[in-house]
Amino acid sequence: MQTTIDTLQKGQKAVILSFDDAIIPLKLIEMGCMEGNFVEVIQIAPLGDPIFLSINDTNLAIRKEMASRIFVEIQK
């Protein structure tokens, strides 16, 4: 099932399918946000922004707006 990172719940895991290179900052790509990598939602801030992720054993926080532009496939 294809969705975006911002719709995932805490603890859900997914594989990154695609994103727009022009929108995603280079630093995020350098930290592992690349097609084919696994992502897990570790925590969501109380007001929903930011979202704390683990991408290939790298922990990072991204804004909900950015997470809405990264397409993933949920892993069962």
Side-chain angles (χ1 to χ4, degrees), residues 3-59:
T3 187
T4 56
I5 290 178
D6 68 311
T7 63
L8 298 177
Q9 300 298 312
K10 181 179 176 182
Q12 276 191 304
K13 297 178 183 180
V15 174
I16 298 173
L17 296 177
S18 65
F19 54 86
D20 185 350
D21 292 343
I23 297 171
I24 302 297
L26 179 59
K27 186 68 174 175
L28 194 57
I29 295 170
E30 290 173 346
M31 295 181 78
C33 184
M34 298 173 59
E35 295 169 359
N37 284 350
F38 289 91
V39 60
E40 178 180 2
V41 176
I42 298 191
Q43 186 71 31
I44 300 171
L47 297 176
D49 198 15
I51 301 170
F52 299 93
L53 307 171
S54 175
I55 300 177
N56 286 355
D57 298 323
T58 300
N59 294 332

